[in-house]
Amino acid sequence: MAISGAAIKDIGRKVNIVSRFPDAPRRRLADALLLPGFVNAHQHGRGLSQIQLGYPDDALEPWIARRRGRGSPDSYTLTRLAAEEMLANGVTSTLHANYSYSTGDYEAELRGTIRAYEDAGLRATVCIGYADRGGLVYPPEDEREFRKKLSQEAQQLLALARPAYLPLAQTLNLMARLAAEYSGHPTITLAYGPAGPQWVSDEAWRALAKDAARRGVGLHFHLLESPAQSRCARMLYPEGVLSRLEALGVFKTSTSAAHFVRATLKDVADAVRLGLVVVANPGSNMRLGNGAPAIADWHRGGLPVAVGTDNCALQDEEDYLSELRLAGLLARFDGAGPPKSATRMLDMGTSMGARAIFNPQVGQLEVGMKADLVAIELSRLSGSYLDADTDLLEAVMARGRGADVLMTVVDGMVRYQRGADERRREAAITAAASAKSARSVGDAARRASEEIAEALRKHCRRGEV
């Protein structure tokens, strides 16, 4: 492969490439397979996992509530560590979904996040987040009634909470300013990240969708992740949640949505009709009690599916190949015929991911595409013996893991090389220090967050069958 600047210039047999570019510097990779760089199509820049941060797996809503019992780490340091870990695992592009540490200064948090991806050299679609309801209990539930049942200590903790995001007008203004600043940036793309239907009002959906269509930027959101969100959607959107979003103009621009675990057959049909790309997060969905995504059914119905780690992968690390393998197993059709799982898995992790992050220039190794690629060393996954008839891609998809990544290239530049991981070590040290300093919020706050989490658990279980 010949790379010129940030693009793939030529691909072919070694003798032909060398003869066409005799004076070009060369990098030889022994016993390695070059693949398109992986696309982690949904994550939040959490370089330390929830286990490391002290709030282990739980149902989604209580798990979110427990974060109230922790302080706010620095967005730059955690995102920088997440980016370095992704690069070390062969990820060259990612989508940073809406996320806030609720410092009260969302713009500063977001700018720190963007700077972290820039400094790491990871290609990122960064979503400007938004939410204006449902921060405690989902509508149409009465939040005031829920709060009345809590202790004074818990109510006081809720009263101290700072806004996670900006008001609608300021969100639109932030997009305008960042779009001007990052216009033409080689690795940073912007999108809107409305949190999800239960967290965003119809008025806000309409305004964000209109501005996204005008600017030609994508919309990425959470969709039907938990049982409680599914019940909320049935109450708020009897016509179907995607039908409502269609009426609000959401699908006049490119869209992708994460999770979709609780989708009905109608939801799947609507998603296919509207051109929605769904990002599966299988490890996260199972760890947080929402169930395994029905990827085989989605594929059978013609739904395009990408894969993201959600910073909550099954192995509790950013090993993208392992998470992709889990998605590939869930994508296998029942019944006749070979599954062709390796090709499908690679597509979910590359070209479908490119669609999900709104970047058509990545996800494939073709002349003219961005030079984003990963070199997978074959010696460990081949082991003591690999049959000569075994397809190398099948072997990588069946046995490969992040430890087999030899080199990661983004925009024509080597951003990770095995054995030269000083940047990862430095990022880990600063992220750990930031998380440790943010931990000390007091026993009262931790007790209050536990109370709120348990109250939400009981609240969300109502109506379950």
Side-chain angles (χ1 to χ4, degrees):
M1 179 182 296
I3 295 173
S4 178
I8 297 172
K9 182 74 171 178
D10 204 354
I11 300 175
R13 294 179 63 84
K14 176 183 174 181
V15 62
N16 297 330
I17 296 294
V18 170
S19 67
R20 284 197 284 271
F21 305 95
D23 300 323
R26 304 177 197 174
R27 184 183 291 264
R28 293 177 174 85
L29 300 171
D31 197 23
L33 181 66
L34 286 182
L35 292 174
F38 301 127
V39 182
N40 188 348
H42 178 86
Q43 57 86 40
H44 300 273
R46 296 190 298 255
L48 296 173
S49 78
Q50 58 219 44
I51 300 295
Q52 292 173 292
L53 290 172
Y55 38 96
D57 298 349
D58 200 342
L60 177 67
E61 287 76 16
W63 175 76
I64 292 174
R66 279 198 170 84
R67 298 207 305 249
R68 296 177 184 272
R70 290 284 189 261
S72 301
D74 178 62
S75 64
Y76 174 88
T77 57
L78 263 65
T79 304
R80 177 65 187 269
L81 178 57
E84 297 291 352
E85 291 292 338
M86 283 187 271
L87 287 166
N89 283 279
V91 171
T92 55
S93 298
T94 191
L95 183 139
H96 182 101
N98 69 287
Y99 201 71
S100 171
Y101 289 106
S102 298
T103 61
D105 191 347
Y106 176 64
E107 180 172 345
E109 289 184 44
L110 191 65
R111 287 185 177 277
T113 292
I114 294 172
R115 185 166 54 87
Y117 290 121
E118 284 186 286
D119 290 352
L122 180 66
R123 192 181 304 280
T125 297
V126 179
C127 292
I128 297 177
Y130 182 81
D132 62 359
R133 65 179 183 181
L136 185 57
V137 293
Y138 299 143
E141 301 286 353
D142 190 337
E143 184 174 310
R144 292 169 300 179
E145 290 300 316
F146 179 84
R147 285 176 180 250
K148 285 179 183 178
K149 299 174 184 177
L150 300 173
S151 69
Q152 190 168 0
E153 198 174 54
Q155 291 186 45
Q156 184 178 13
L157 178 64
L158 292 172
L160 293 173
R162 289 167 290 195
Y165 299 102
L166 296 170
L168 181 57
Q170 293 181 39
T171 299
L172 298 172
N173 179 266
L174 178 59
M175 170 61 86
R177 287 184 284 113
L178 290 176
E181 290 177 41
Y182 286 90
S183 176
H185 194 282
T187 58
I188 300 296
T189 302
L190 297 172
Y192 273 120
Q198 66 281 344
W199 288 306
V200 178
S201 65
D202 284 4
E203 174 192 5
W205 277 112
R206 189 178 289 109
L208 294 171
K210 181 179 179 180
D211 196 58
R214 182 176 68 85
R215 294 184 180 280
V217 302
L219 280 165
H220 177 85
F221 48 94
H222 297 74
L223 182 63
L224 299 171
E225 181 177 1
S226 71
Q229 290 179 11
S230 177
R231 289 193 296 274
C232 171
R234 289 197 298 270
M235 289 186 286
L236 290 177
Y237 315 112
E239 74 276 34
V241 60
L242 291 176
S243 295
R244 174 68 67 86
L245 295 180
E246 179 184 17
L248 296 172
V250 167
F251 299 101
K252 292 180 180 178
T253 191
S254 299
T255 56
S256 61
H259 303 297
F260 208 51
V261 187
R262 294 288 165 167
T264 64
L265 291 176
K266 181 184 185 305
D267 295 324
V268 174
D270 283 343
V272 173
R273 175 177 61 84
L274 294 165
L276 179 69
V277 180
V278 167
V279 183
N281 309 101
S284 173
N285 294 149
M286 289 188 275
R287 286 179 59 179
L288 299 180
N290 297 314
I295 302 176
D297 292 338
W298 298 347
H299 276 155
R300 190 179 291 112
L303 186 62
V305 182
V307 175
T309 65
D310 203 23
N311 306 124
C312 187
L314 191 65
Q315 310 238 41
D316 203 48
E317 58 185 2
E318 291 298 328
D319 189 334
Y320 190 80
L321 265 171
S322 295
E323 194 72 1
L324 190 58
R325 184 175 304 115
L326 177 59
L329 292 172
L330 294 170
R332 289 186 175 180
F333 291 172
D334 295 329
K340 297 182 180 178
S341 57
T343 302
R344 184 178 295 121
M345 286 167 63
L346 185 62
D347 286 345
M348 286 193 292
T350 56
S351 58
M352 289 298 103
R355 290 181 59 182
I357 71 168
F358 319 118
N359 193 332
Q361 295 181 300
V362 302
Q364 299 178 68
L365 294 186
E366 294 182 359
V367 173
M369 299 288 281
K370 291 291 186 182
D372 289 9
L373 53 103
V374 57
I376 306 292
E377 188 178 32
L378 299 174
S379 58
R380 188 208 60 82
L381 62 88
S382 295
S384 58
Y385 176 77
L386 185 68
D387 193 282
D389 290 337
T390 300
D391 180 79
L392 284 181
L393 182 59
E394 290 282 356
V396 169
M397 293 295 114
R399 292 175 53 81
R401 54 181 186 243
D404 298 314
V405 172
L406 183 63
M407 182 181 72
T408 305
V409 176
V410 181
D411 221 38
M413 298 182 66
V414 176
R415 292 299 186 178
Y416 169 79
Q417 177 104 30
R418 188 197 295 164
D421 60 350
E422 289 82 3
R423 299 197 320 171
R424 288 173 73 200
R425 284 194 290 268
E426 291 173 5
I429 291 168
T430 55
S434 176
K436 186 176 181 180
S437 65
R439 183 181 187 277
S440 181
V441 293
D443 291 338
R446 281 193 289 276
R447 285 195 304 269
S449 70
E450 289 291 331
E451 178 190 341
I452 296 166
E454 291 308 312
L456 275 170
R457 186 189 313 284
K458 294 175 183 177
H459 180 84
C460 291
R461 280 178 177 168
R462 296 183 310 163
E464 287 187 1
V465 294

